[in-house]
Amino acid sequence: MNSEYWQEELETMPRPQLEALQVKKLKDTIDICLKSPFYKKRLGALGITSDSIRTLDDLRKIPFTTKQDLRENYPFGLVGGDLKDAIRIHSTSGTTGNPCVVVYSRHDIDSWANMIARNLYMVGCRDTDVFQNSSGYGMFTGGLGFQYGAEKLGAMTVPAAAGNSKRQIKFIRDFGTTCLHAIPSYAIRLAEVFQEEGVDPQSTKLRTLVIGAEPHTEEQRRRIERMLGVKAYNSFGMTEMNGPGVAFECKYQNGMHLWEDNYIIEIVDPDTLEPVPDGEMGEMVLTTLDRTMMPILRYRTRDLTRIISEPCPCGRTHRRIDRIKGRTDDMFIIKGVNVFPMQVEKILVQYPGLGSNYLITLDTVDDNDIMTVEVELDGLETDIYPEIQRMTRDIQRALKDEILLTPAVKLVKKGSLPQSEGKAVRVKDLRPGRG
């Protein structure tokens, strides 16, 4: 096998051939979709069949699919394959109402595992590696998704699952773990536990970290790399699109290659839903091209990113997407200003005395909306008043420059904010009717 590519012919396919492959796969996908109750009705009403597609531009004839569509047609309304061929179900973690469910055939599981193996191979993981997965198993796709992908690669896998940081570190040391999958906030927590336990991560064999599942800044990635002594590669995925593995960084760490033999990507203006030029930020819309049980057409992901169309030095022709800036549904509006949690994080990571845990609270006092940013200190004591006051004022000014309004800033003791084993909760909206 080539030392650089898992599937060289597919990964380096010239763009015209890749786009011709996408058109062929899109036609096949529409044929499957028309067997599902949801798409039969929706596409049938518009007279759309696979013959409607001659070029990739014809994709725009098809309406968008939304999270609401999946919830309203729960559980099997989008299934176009034969349910007797289904071998697995995953779902989103929705706490109210119906979750979004995805049903997989054996082909779908194999295709997904192959994509993750392709990703891991791209960043230097091989069948000689020990791959540890600190992701939740069960209905969450990060567990079994990476498990099957690492097994497909031939690595020795450690299905450690989420949490229990001391045990994670014991496994890393005892099993000689070389590659770890973790969400960014947990990777920082793990680095802190290494420190608390008096273990230098550099004394282990850990050298590769795969991070994803929650938005994070470049500064946070570099901090993780410094704390753990690893190279950390950004990963993008979502349950509706299989799970992790949809897009992944190569060794150049400059945008994530989105696998265009498996997906068609569009970037649209979230307000007008019209396409935006390459390089411009917008909402990512994805169409599956290699699912035989439950394909999804033009899914509005709500994730904000842009296409990086310049060729990548790694030689792969699949276009890259920038790191996820945030989600249209993560954004909050306060005093008429649109704010993303990542804008706050971008400022906080610039201060060495701060920890990684922070919480934004929105509240209404005397009919005025107020925003409070609490952030844990790391190594500084809260009773060094002059130092704390100066840092608080500096952070407040920097946040005002970034988000154009002045929040209250509170520096709190390390460990005083809630810790999450799953995705970190960054915003608490206590304003009436916001919940």
Side-chain angles (χ1 to χ4, degrees):
M1 188 176 282
N2 183 288
S3 63
E4 287 298 317
Y5 306 105
W6 177 249
Q7 293 171 292
E8 184 171 6
E9 188 183 342
L10 275 172
E11 291 174 51
T12 61
M13 188 177 275
R15 293 291 313 172
Q17 278 175 252
L18 187 52
E19 288 172 10
L21 178 64
Q22 286 184 309
V23 170
K24 180 188 177 302
K25 284 186 154 192
L26 177 59
K27 291 165 83 73
D28 294 343
T29 295
I30 289 171
D31 285 337
I32 298 168
C33 285
L34 285 167
K35 295 173 187 169
S36 76
F38 172 74
Y39 283 119
K40 186 177 183 180
K41 185 177 175 185
R42 179 168 282 189
L43 301 184
L46 297 168
I48 293 171
T49 67
S50 55
D51 292 336
S52 311
I53 305 296
R54 289 187 172 80
T55 70
L56 287 177
D57 287 341
D58 291 331
L59 182 66
R60 293 185 63 198
K61 297 174 182 175
I62 298 170
F64 295 103
T65 305
T66 65
K67 183 171 283 216
Q68 196 55 32
D69 291 328
L70 267 68
R71 286 179 168 157
E72 287 175 1
N73 291 274
Y74 171 92
F76 302 136
L78 274 77
V79 171
D82 190 331
L83 271 175
K84 78 172 174 55
D85 297 325
I87 64 165
R88 195 192 299 170
I89 291 176
H90 280 289
S91 81
T92 58
S93 55
T95 48
T96 55
N98 290 330
C100 295
V101 160
V102 176
V103 187
Y104 303 76
S105 65
R106 186 166 301 283
H107 169 90
D108 303 339
I109 295 292
D110 290 345
S111 168
W112 179 23
N114 186 67
M115 257 193 301
I116 290 184
R118 188 192 285 183
N119 293 331
L120 294 173
Y121 198 90
M122 178 165 64
V123 297
C125 294
R126 298 293 182 265
D127 57 8
T128 49
D129 277 277
V130 179
F131 178 89
Q132 185 164 323
N133 195 3
S134 73
S135 192
Y137 280 68
M139 298 306 273
F140 177 58
T141 53
L144 288 171
F146 268 103
Q147 179 72 30
Y148 274 57
E151 287 179 2
K152 177 90 174 173
L153 179 72
M156 183 161 73
T157 59
V158 183
N164 200 336
S165 303
K166 288 181 183 178
R167 192 180 68 153
Q168 298 279 358
I169 291 169
K170 179 174 173 58
F171 287 170
I172 289 168
R173 298 176 79 189
D174 294 353
F175 303 155
T177 299
T178 53
C179 181
L180 175 71
H181 171 232
I183 61 175
S185 54
Y186 186 63
I188 288 181
R189 176 68 194 135
L190 204 57
E192 290 169 351
V193 178
F194 262 110
Q195 200 175 7
E196 288 162 15
E197 294 292 295
V199 178
D200 180 2
Q202 305 265 25
S203 69
T204 73
K205 292 183 178 176
L206 193 61
R207 57 181 169 76
T208 304
L209 185 67
V210 175
I211 50 176
E214 60 186 16
H216 59 284
T217 58
E218 181 63 15
E219 291 87 351
Q220 189 180 1
R221 183 246 291 273
R222 295 302 174 199
R223 186 178 180 198
I224 290 167
E225 289 187 328
R226 283 194 304 273
M227 290 172 87
L228 287 172
V230 294
K231 275 281 188 192
Y233 296 99
N234 205 357
S235 162
F236 168 79
M238 61 193 318
T239 302
E240 299 91 323
M241 290 293 115
N242 278 355
V246 175
F248 214 87
E249 282 182 329
C250 64
K251 287 183 176 179
Y252 289 91
Q253 293 179 304
N254 184 24
M256 297 174 278
H257 289 277
L258 187 129
W259 298 119
E260 294 182 87
D261 56 326
N262 286 288
Y263 303 95
I264 297 173
I265 179 173
E266 303 168 77
I267 305 287
V268 302
D269 181 306
D271 297 321
T272 65
L273 300 183
E274 290 299 313
V276 303
D278 282 2
E280 225 172 84
M281 195 65 72
E283 181 183 335
M284 178 164 47
V285 173
L286 292 173
T287 295
T288 66
L289 291 178
D290 200 34
R291 287 220 305 233
T292 60
M293 184 56 60
M294 188 181 150
I296 299 180
L297 303 171
R298 301 194 81 200
Y299 185 69
R300 290 190 61 187
T301 67
R302 305 285 180 183
D303 285 307
L304 297 167
T305 186
R306 67 186 183 96
I307 286 175
I308 302 170
S309 51
E310 297 83 24
C312 183
C314 78
R316 291 172 180 83
T317 51
H318 299 243
R319 289 177 301 171
R320 288 165 291 155
I321 57 171
D322 208 343
R323 67 178 50 252
I324 304 300
K325 178 189 172 186
R327 291 175 60 83
T328 55
D329 44 8
D330 274 351
M331 185 190 82
F332 57 87
I333 301 174
I334 183 161
K335 296 184 177 175
V337 178
N338 294 356
V339 180
F340 290 93
M342 284 188 69
Q343 292 176 281
V344 173
E345 183 177 295
K346 189 171 94 175
I347 299 299
L348 299 180
V349 294
Q350 294 171 18
Y351 291 85
L354 299 181
S356 57
N357 210 6
Y358 69 91
L359 180 66
I360 302 165
T361 303
L362 310 172
D363 209 345
T364 304
V365 177
D366 297 331
D367 295 326
N368 274 325
D369 281 357
I370 55 169
M371 172 179 167
T372 304
V373 178
E374 292 175 276
V375 57
E376 289 183 2
L377 290 162
D378 183 20
L380 284 175
E381 292 301 323
T382 48
D383 53 5
I384 315 173
Y385 291 116
E387 180 68 14
I388 295 297
Q389 284 177 318
R390 184 188 59 75
M391 192 188 276
T392 302
R393 283 195 301 270
D394 286 352
I395 294 167
Q396 208 165 28
R397 272 197 296 268
L399 284 171
K400 186 185 179 185
D401 289 345
E402 173 67 29
I403 62 176
L404 309 178
L405 56 88
T406 308
V409 174
K410 290 181 183 174
L411 306 187
V412 299
K413 276 186 181 170
K414 189 173 180 177
S416 58
L417 293 177
Q419 283 280 359
S420 172
E421 295 290 10
K423 293 184 188 181
V425 176
R426 298 302 192 198
V427 182
K428 196 162 66 170
D429 198 339
L430 304 176
R431 294 175 291 178
R434 308 294 177 106

